Amino acid sequence: MIVQKAATDDKIVILTEVNEAFAAPNSMLDLFLESFHNGDNITHHLDHLIIVAMDQKAFEKCKSVHRHCYLHEDLGSDLSSENVYLSKPYLDLVWTKVRLWQLILDQGYSFLFTDIDVMWFRDPFRHISVYADFTIACDRFYGNPEDHSSNNANTGMVYAKPTRKNIEVLKYWREARQRFPTTNEQTVYYEIKFELASKFDLKVQYVSTEYWGNFCQLHKNFAKLATFHPCCLVGLKDKIAQIKNITEEWKMYKSMNLKS
């Protein structure tokens, strides 16, 4: 029901996930939602955003600040804290999103997934290919948006359409976790991306870091940036500090352009 309420007329939803640590006051959830209001005519996207809470406290915080909140139950682990990279709770947390994507596609909806620490400046939908099966952000982008070999995918921003092929791709991706049990969903994608391309004829559009930016391959051309993800930084405290800096730079850029 929540998906139907949040979806656009053409059956697209925006998804993110949050736990207690990232939903605390002045943490990622507040910064994430604020970015839509600081952005360039993108507040309407909040009407189509579903925030999936990983624990009860995150769910309560979500309900106090947003319309479409969903409590993800039966997770099997305590996912409320800031978890150590590649620990079991961390892996359980990041793998929930692939399961979530599959559930959304199964219901016949397209999704744009965004990590909760991705700041939105402009509409990222303008960089999504209508021809690709998946559109995926990059840690590092090397010029050709269709190049599986060079581009380093980042699953912090992913778009997919509800085709049978894509549902099978996500099922295959989730099952591949058994082959690589100690790593995250993004690294597993690196390991199986050529299998996906050959087995399913999967067409992927990788988005330049000039548009969906990050700290791995830093571009701060605010005339082009649509989103910014603080990947390649470790630790919630450092991420928050750097996001606040980027946000202030964006606000200054926007203010100067309004005056000119």
Side-chain angles (χ1 to χ4, degrees):
M1 183 65 71
I2 190 173
V3 177
Q4 185 177 358
K5 288 181 178 179
T8 64
D9 290 342
D10 47 356
K11 301 186 72 173
I12 301 171
V13 293
I14 302 168
L15 303 170
T16 194
E17 293 180 332
V18 65
N19 66 0
E20 179 184 347
F22 283 72
N26 299 312
S27 191
M28 287 298 182
L29 177 58
D30 288 335
L31 292 171
F32 176 72
L33 294 175
E34 182 186 347
S35 75
F36 287 81
H37 296 284
N38 292 330
D40 188 7
N41 297 316
I42 56 173
T43 54
H44 63 282
H45 284 310
L46 291 172
D47 294 334
H48 310 296
L49 169 68
I50 300 173
I51 299 175
V52 180
M54 298 290 106
D55 56 79
Q56 186 65 39
K57 287 188 176 179
F59 182 56
E60 294 301 324
K61 172 59 185 289
C62 179
K63 288 194 297 182
S64 73
V65 295
H66 187 64
R67 287 176 57 197
H68 305 302
C69 303
Y70 177 78
L71 178 60
H72 199 322
E73 299 176 307
D74 301 322
L75 292 172
S77 297
D78 179 6
L79 305 184
S80 62
S81 303
E82 180 189 0
N83 295 300
V84 176
Y85 183 67
L86 295 184
S87 65
K88 185 180 185 303
Y90 166 86
L91 292 174
D92 288 342
L93 178 62
V94 297
W95 274 101
T96 60
K97 63 188 184 185
V98 184
R99 176 185 173 191
L100 174 64
W101 300 345
Q102 186 177 344
L103 290 172
I104 296 297
L105 297 191
D106 278 335
Q107 294 181 57
Y109 293 85
S110 302
F111 69 81
L112 174 59
F113 178 86
T114 170
D115 274 350
I116 196 70
D117 57 350
V118 174
M119 299 297 106
W120 286 43
F121 301 136
R122 293 187 179 86
D123 191 341
F125 283 95
R126 68 182 67 178
H127 303 294
I128 289 171
S129 169
V130 297
Y131 304 105
D133 299 306
F134 280 75
T135 300
I136 302 179
C138 292
D139 279 342
R140 292 175 177 82
F141 177 80
Y142 294 102
N144 180 353
E146 298 177 0
D147 184 1
H148 268 317
S149 300
S150 299
N151 296 318
N152 303 135
N154 184 295
T155 57
M157 288 279 285
V158 175
Y159 176 85
K161 297 175 288 190
T163 62
R164 176 49 51 188
K165 179 202 292 190
N166 285 350
I167 292 169
E168 291 300 317
V169 164
L170 292 179
K171 181 180 177 182
Y172 190 88
W173 189 349
R174 289 180 61 208
E175 290 175 348
R177 183 183 182 183
Q178 298 175 16
R179 290 190 274 154
F180 308 96
T182 61
T183 193
N184 61 22
E185 88 299 343
Q186 182 169 299
T187 303
V188 170
Y189 176 79
Y190 293 160
E191 297 289 346
I192 67 170
K193 61 184 180 180
F194 293 107
E195 296 174 35
L196 297 175
S198 61
K199 184 177 180 65
F200 300 101
D201 191 28
L202 186 69
K203 302 293 190 300
V204 177
Q205 175 96 357
Y206 296 98
V207 179
S208 170
T209 49
E210 287 188 308
Y211 304 116
W212 292 2
N214 60 50
F215 283 114
C216 308
Q217 188 182 47
L218 183 60
H219 298 284
K220 284 203 291 185
N221 182 351
F222 288 109
K224 293 185 176 181
L225 275 175
T227 63
F228 196 90
H229 188 191
C231 47
C232 292
L233 288 181
V234 177
L236 180 57
K237 184 177 179 180
D238 285 344
K239 287 189 175 187
I240 289 174
Q242 292 300 324
I243 281 174
K244 288 181 176 179
N245 289 340
I246 290 286
T247 298
E248 288 307 310
E249 290 179 48
W250 161 254
K251 286 158 70 173
M252 185 178 299
Y253 164 84
K254 190 177 177 185
S255 175
M256 290 174 62
N257 278 269
L258 286 173
K259 293 175 183 177
S260 61

